[in-house]
């Protein structure tokens, strides 16, 4: 009888990729994937530690799963309850105390050792904690990507090229939970990309915590940066779209900018977190760029690729942020213009330098600033979406919609586009006429007719 595996993923795209790779490790052990934790023999929570809220969610989910586990025990079966990801890495020991019913707590650098860890749980019957940063690269020990896990979503896939971070922004847990920077050899990445194409992938998103600090060894023994890697990826037949995330502004080099000019599959959309528009705060954050460096960088990118559109991350209420500092962020936002963005109230994370600063900002003030920033960002996003109406855009159809006959795809700018289209178009890139815009999505149609009766339905679907 096959055993059932349920993985719940929190946080960033790296976690989505990691969950798929954990599945690839476990399928050969006789597991099959289930969406329902109630009938799972093993549940893994792949967790995120970036902000306090994200970490707290894990403990409430663990309480719920413990009740399911107890019910299964009463019925004579068992459930291995495991916690992976950055909360596991950061709070391993504390988690074993706070949730003693958890069987297995393991960090992001140990996924390849899952079979051995599961065997230890089954043998010993006690809990296992593994938050090592082993010397050997886990990628060498992971099996090939399989088409059976969630590696591929429609015709789109993530591919981790780099992991970890050496930047130590004062607010951020990533250097502690993911460890120092590691770049995979270029040949391994290109092989994985080719394999993904064989499995039907058309769009690749190259992933890294700090993806543009990529510096992997290539077959010619040279060290490649991300620009060179993107160029080589673009030479693989069948790759129709390339994206990469997440970038650090100070590490965008001339090669990467040239890739935006030269590699036709590289999408004209870039997530480039700036965090703040105040030099004083950027310095306190230990960012290695100022607000004007960011402005100039955007200018260079726009010169290389005039239709490039930007997204960003912002933190409001970093310790010591004055009204003038916040106004600096608002000025930068108004000047640059973002088509989409993530913005957060500063959340002190244990163990990071900023958490122990004594000039913390009042929660209410953080909320006020966040609202002002988000109103501006939302209106920029809406304006961009509206500017797309009437245009024709290539859309990769990679999800089914809520209504029958409906599909959802992604525009070059990552906007979800709803359309009524025949099922055989699933997984392909089609030109859609954009008929309507909403706050977070677009509605399109296959032909230029705006009187298409199905458009009404599309508009309601987002
Ligand atoms: N508080 C608030 N936001 C944070 N981020 C990272 N750490 C914190 C924190 N302590 C945000 C940054 C980062 C994004 C992934 O999460 O904006 O770019
Ligand atoms: Fe965190 Fe990104 Fe800064 Fe690294 S560069 S410390 S991942 S915010």
């Amino acid at each position: 009888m096959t055993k059932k595996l349920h993985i719940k993923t929190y946080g960033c795209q790296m976690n989505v990729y990691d969950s798929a790779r954990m599945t690839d490790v476990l399928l050969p052990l006789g597991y099959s994937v289930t969406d329902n934790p109630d009938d799972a023999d093993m549940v893994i929570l792949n967790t995120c530690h970036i902000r306090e809220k994200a970490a707290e969610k894990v403990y409430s989910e663990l309480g719920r799963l413990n009740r399911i586990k107890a019910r299964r025990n009463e019925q004579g079966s068992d459930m291995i309850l495991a916690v992976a990801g950055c909360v596991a890495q950061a709070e391993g020991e504390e988690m074993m105390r706070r949730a003693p019913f958890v069987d297995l707590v393991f960090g992001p650098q140990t996924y390849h050792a899952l079979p051995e860890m599961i065997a230890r749980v089954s043998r010993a019957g006690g809990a296992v904690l593994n938050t090592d940063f082993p010397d050997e690269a886990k990628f060498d020990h992971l099996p090939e990507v399989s088409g059976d896990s969630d590696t591929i979503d429609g015709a789109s896939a993530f591919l981790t090229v780099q992991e970890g971070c050496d930047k130590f922004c004062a607010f951020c847990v990533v250097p502690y939970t993911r460890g120092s920077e590691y770049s995979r050899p270029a040949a391994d990445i290109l092989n994985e990309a080719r394999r993904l194409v064989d499995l039907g992938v058309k769009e690749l998103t190259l992933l890294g915590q700090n993806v543009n600090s990529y510096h992997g060894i290539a077959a010619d023994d040279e060290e490649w940066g991300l620009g060179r890697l993107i160029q080589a990826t673009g030479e693989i037949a069948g790759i129709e779209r390339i994206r990469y995330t997440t970038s650090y502004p100070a590490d965008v080099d001339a090669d990467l900018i040239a890739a935006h000019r030269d590699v036709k599959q590289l999408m004209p959309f870039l997530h480039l977190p700036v965090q703040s528009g105040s030099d004083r705060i950027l310095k306190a954050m230990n960012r290695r760029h100022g607000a004007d460096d960011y402005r100039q960088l955007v200018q260079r990118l726009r010169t290389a690729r005039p239709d490039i559109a930007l997204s960003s991350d912002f933190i409001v209420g970093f310790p010591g942020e004055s009204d003038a500092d916040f106004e600096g962020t608002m000025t930068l936002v108004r000047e640059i213009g973002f088509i989409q963005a993530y913005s957060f109230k500063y959340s002190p994370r244990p163990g990071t330098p900023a958490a122990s600063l004594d000039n913390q900002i009042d929660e209410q003030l953080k909320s006020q600033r966040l609202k002002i920033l988000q109103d501006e960002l939302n209106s920029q996003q809406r304006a961009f979406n509206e500017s797309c109406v009437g245009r024709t855009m290539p859309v990769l159809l990679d999800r089914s919609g809520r209504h029958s006959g409906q599909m959802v795809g992604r525009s070059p700018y990552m906007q979800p586009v709803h359309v009524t289209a025949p099922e055989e178009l699933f997984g392909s890139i089609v030109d859609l006429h954009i008929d309507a815009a909403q706050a977070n999505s677009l509605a399109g149609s296959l032909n230029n007719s705006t009187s298409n009766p199905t458009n009404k339905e599309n508009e309601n679907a987002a």
Side-chain angles (χ1 to χ4, degrees):
M1 209 182 72
T2 64
K3 293 166 281 183
K4 297 224 169 100
L5 167 71
H6 176 79
I7 304 187
K8 183 161 181 180
T9 308
Y10 299 83
C12 65
Q13 287 146 328
M14 180 80 77
N15 269 8
V16 175
Y17 176 86
D18 284 346
S19 292
R21 302 314 308 276
M22 284 191 256
T23 308
D24 286 336
V25 171
L26 292 175
L27 293 178
L29 300 191
Y31 281 95
S32 64
V33 174
T34 174
D35 288 339
N36 181 5
D38 289 29
D39 62 19
D41 301 283
M42 172 148 185
V43 174
I44 303 176
L45 299 184
N46 192 6
T47 60
C48 172
H49 199 244
I50 199 97
R51 284 168 296 275
E52 191 179 357
K53 252 195 210 150
E56 277 308 313
K57 269 191 212 157
V58 175
Y59 286 101
S60 61
E61 183 64 12
L62 280 175
R64 203 175 71 84
L65 289 167
N66 187 30
R67 290 191 287 280
I68 299 175
K69 185 177 161 87
R71 207 161 49 236
R72 281 177 68 90
N73 282 342
E74 279 164 21
Q75 292 160 358
S77 57
D78 197 12
M79 173 203 271
I80 297 180
L81 189 47
V83 183
C86 293
V87 181
Q89 185 66 41
E91 298 187 6
E93 305 226 342
E94 192 194 329
M95 176 170 280
M96 307 281 268
R97 273 195 300 277
R98 210 172 141 184
F101 49 86
V102 172
D103 300 294
L104 182 52
V105 177
F106 59 110
Q109 302 308 319
T110 66
Y111 296 162
H112 57 290
L114 253 177
E116 184 206 320
M117 293 190 283
I118 292 173
R120 262 162 62 200
V121 169
S122 313
R123 256 197 330 266
V128 169
L129 171 68
N130 187 353
T131 49
D132 295 346
F133 278 115
D135 286 339
E136 85 261 31
K138 85 179 152 189
F139 292 102
D140 294 345
H141 298 269
L142 283 169
E144 272 196 326
V145 287
S146 85
D148 303 324
S149 63
D150 291 336
T151 308
I152 302 164
D153 188 9
S156 190
F158 295 130
L159 200 176
T160 295
V161 305
Q162 180 278 342
E163 209 173 333
C165 181
D166 296 338
K167 297 291 185 286
F168 291 93
C169 296
F171 50 80
C172 185
V173 288
V174 167
Y176 310 97
T177 58
R178 289 276 173 170
S180 56
E181 278 179 19
Y182 167 77
S183 295
R184 295 177 68 188
D188 293 0
I189 294 164
L190 297 174
N191 281 339
E192 191 168 323
R194 282 187 209 100
R195 183 161 165 74
L196 287 165
V197 170
D198 289 344
L199 292 167
V201 164
K202 298 198 169 89
E203 176 180 87
L204 265 188
T205 303
L206 307 181
L207 289 184
Q209 261 91 33
N210 213 318
V211 70
N212 62 326
S213 77
Y214 176 81
H215 54 97
I217 293 294
D220 53 12
D221 266 352
E222 260 186 65
E223 212 177 67
W224 283 7
L226 185 66
R228 184 74 189 83
L229 184 70
I230 288 172
Q231 221 172 45
T233 308
E235 283 160 17
I236 297 175
I239 300 278
E240 295 184 39
R241 288 180 162 191
I242 302 171
R243 305 179 185 278
Y244 63 92
T245 200
T246 292
S247 298
Y248 186 71
D251 283 346
V252 177
D253 64 9
D255 270 1
L256 186 54
I257 293 179
H260 279 282
R261 187 192 56 212
D262 300 335
V263 180
K264 64 178 190 316
Q265 299 102 319
L266 189 53
M267 290 289 98
F269 174 73
L270 181 59
H271 181 63
L272 193 61
V274 63
Q275 313 297 357
S276 166
S278 150
D279 284 342
R280 213 176 64 83
I281 293 298
L282 288 167
K283 192 153 187 279
M285 285 177 164
N286 194 30
R287 301 283 292 183
R288 301 171 196 191
H289 59 87
D292 280 348
D293 297 325
Y294 189 85
R295 288 182 175 91
Q296 282 155 20
L297 182 57
V298 168
Q299 197 46 52
R300 286 167 66 206
L301 285 159
R302 283 180 170 156
T303 305
R305 181 81 206 229
D307 59 342
I308 201 164
L310 292 157
S311 143
S312 201
D313 289 343
F314 298 91
I315 295 178
V316 299
F318 185 82
E321 186 187 66
S322 66
D323 285 345
D325 293 321
F326 176 64
E327 208 31 63
T329 299
M330 293 303 295
T331 305
L332 181 124
V333 168
R334 287 188 205 104
E335 276 176 30
I336 302 270
F338 295 93
I339 69 157
Q340 195 247 316
Y342 303 94
S343 45
F344 312 99
K345 288 192 273 187
Y346 169 68
S347 161
R349 308 306 293 125
T352 58
S356 49
L357 294 174
D358 52 16
N359 46 358
Q360 301 290 327
I361 302 294
D362 174 70
E363 275 307 306
Q364 222 183 340
L365 185 55
K366 284 187 202 170
S367 301
Q368 278 169 17
R369 288 181 180 163
L370 188 66
K371 165 122 187 28
I372 295 168
L373 175 61
Q374 289 187 337
D375 283 351
E376 175 63 27
L377 290 166
N378 288 341
S379 91
Q380 293 191 353
Q381 179 168 5
R382 202 168 308 117
F384 180 74
N385 285 349
E386 276 160 14
S387 77
C388 296
V389 175
R391 288 172 62 180
T392 297
M393 283 185 177
V395 175
L396 172 56
L397 297 175
D398 62 355
R399 271 185 294 148
S400 16
R402 244 189 268 155
H403 305 280
S404 92
Q406 196 186 54
M407 271 188 261
V408 190
R410 293 277 176 184
S411 76
Y413 304 106
M414 286 295 277
Q415 300 145 296
V417 188
H418 297 260
V419 63
T420 298
E423 220 165 284
E424 60 268 23
L425 289 179
F426 187 83
S428 54
I429 298 171
V430 291
D431 278 339
L432 294 187
H433 180 266
I434 305 304
D435 301 316
Q438 295 196 331
N440 300 309
S441 67
L442 303 174
S445 53
L446 278 166
N447 53 41
N448 284 356
S449 152
T450 42
S451 60
N452 181 344
T454 56
N455 289 341
K456 269 234 129 9
E457 193 184 331
N458 291 341
E459 283 164 27
N460 294 331

